[in-house]
Amino acid sequence: MQQLFAVFLIGIITLQLLSCGNSEKELNKTAQTAEEKTEFIGKDVLQKRDNDYIHKPVKHTPDINFKSIEWIDLIPKNDLDALLNPPDYIAEIKDGSIEDQMESQIQNAISAANDDRYQQALVSINVIPEMDKQAVKIPGFIVPLEFNEDETVTQFFLVPYFGACIHQPPPPPNQIIFVNYPKGLLLESLYNPFGISGVLSTSVIQNDMATAAYTMEVLHYEIYTE
């Protein structure tokens, strides 16, 4: 349990680091202004030549103003407060003990969800209603769910920190975005953060790997750099 809380804190720190370097003024800039430089998406369209796929860069000139947001903007304040103020028993569980194993964590979350605000927050599907149908841009890491015949990712979870849902337990559902992208995204490394721009919806999607409280229609993506 202590590891799970630590992972969530690492996620919060990571998403803040991903956004560090952006001043308040920059956060208020529209994506349209930035994209007027006609930067290349890159890796969005694949061209097959002699059985090898090569990257064909594509110019992107959107006519939508994407609002830059952070992951913390997607989680209701009461859930965030609960996660940042865990109950005393969390600190009492030793790392590596049987109570600290993933299966035990899940069972504890289910059994305590009715009367423990911390456990409720770990599995919360509460969202920020105002985010529904908003055009946003958010940095994150990709957890692939489905691939097409070209081995590009057509469905994935976007998460705030590396390893979520794969090497670490999943974050709360309101910290996961489900993305369906039939065009296919070429993912060369799970370590690469992406800047994803699109339209958010407050729709719950359940998967064997995790549950997402948000979905997104992707309109643009790029490798994220500060």
Side-chain angles (χ1 to χ4, degrees), residues 27-223:
L27 287 176
N28 293 329
K29 285 183 180 179
T30 64
Q32 184 177 14
T33 301
E35 295 297 343
E36 284 175 352
K37 299 177 182 178
T38 62
E39 297 177 347
F40 287 118
I41 297 176
K43 303 180 182 179
D44 195 16
V45 172
L46 298 177
Q47 182 179 5
K48 191 172 184 181
R49 178 185 299 170
D50 298 330
N51 296 322
D52 292 323
Y53 289 97
I54 62 174
H55 305 309
K56 181 181 179 183
V58 179
K59 287 185 178 180
H60 182 62
T61 53
D63 56 1
I64 298 177
N65 294 329
F66 296 106
K67 178 183 178 181
S68 294
I69 64 171
E70 300 177 18
W71 285 92
I72 203 169
D73 297 324
L74 299 179
I75 186 168
K77 184 179 183 302
N78 59 340
D79 284 344
L80 181 61
D81 289 344
L83 290 168
L84 295 180
N85 296 280
D88 293 339
Y89 68 78
I90 297 298
E92 294 172 357
I93 297 177
K94 296 181 179 180
D95 291 343
S97 66
I98 188 170
E99 293 88 352
D100 197 41
Q101 301 305 311
M102 184 183 302
E103 182 177 354
S104 180
Q105 292 173 4
I106 295 173
Q107 292 301 322
N108 288 341
I110 294 174
S111 62
N114 292 328
D115 54 9
D116 187 322
R117 270 303 294 134
Y118 176 78
Q119 297 291 350
Q120 289 175 355
L122 287 178
V123 295
S124 175
I125 59 173
N126 295 328
V127 296
I128 305 294
E130 293 77 12
M131 285 294 177
D132 193 39
K133 308 305 180 186
Q134 293 297 309
V136 302
K137 179 177 181 179
I138 186 169
F141 292 86
I142 289 176
V143 179
L145 300 175
E146 290 190 7
F147 297 83
N148 61 17
E149 60 184 10
D150 297 329
E151 296 185 357
T152 58
V153 182
T154 56
Q155 285 189 1
F156 59 90
F157 284 142
L158 189 67
V159 295
Y161 55 89
F162 171 74
C165 306
I166 300 177
H167 303 297
Q168 302 287 350
N174 51 29
Q175 292 289 274
I176 302 177
I177 301 173
F178 172 80
V179 178
N180 185 45
Y181 191 59
K183 291 182 179 179
L185 179 151
L186 183 61
L187 180 63
E188 295 185 334
S189 173
L190 294 174
Y191 290 97
N192 291 336
F194 280 77
I196 305 292
S197 301
V199 178
L200 269 183
S201 295
T202 53
S203 301
V204 176
I205 297 293
Q206 292 184 322
N207 181 277
D208 291 341
M209 187 175 292
T211 297
Y214 292 93
T215 64
M216 177 184 279
E217 177 187 355
V218 174
L219 300 176
H220 173 56
Y221 74 87
E222 60 193 355
I223 296 292

